[in-house]
Amino acid sequence: ANRNGIQFRCKKCGYTCHADLNGAINIAKAISGLVA
């Protein structure tokens, strides 16, 4: 529900960016150990 086509929007803070870029950032953080 927080993704509309290629745009991601955080329901909590309103942050928006390209959905694929957001996914890549989340994966990079998970791999590097920055996300608990």
Side-chain angles (χ1 to χ4, degrees):
N2 57 358
R3 183 175 172 156
N4 182 10
I6 62 168
Q7 182 153 2
F8 167 83
R9 180 167 190 223
C10 178
K11 290 183 172 185
K12 186 174 181 180
C13 69
Y15 170 76
T16 62
C17 76
H18 190 283
D20 292 339
L21 174 60
N22 186 63
I25 291 168
N26 289 337
I27 291 168
K29 285 181 180 179
I31 290 171
S32 68
L34 293 176
V35 176

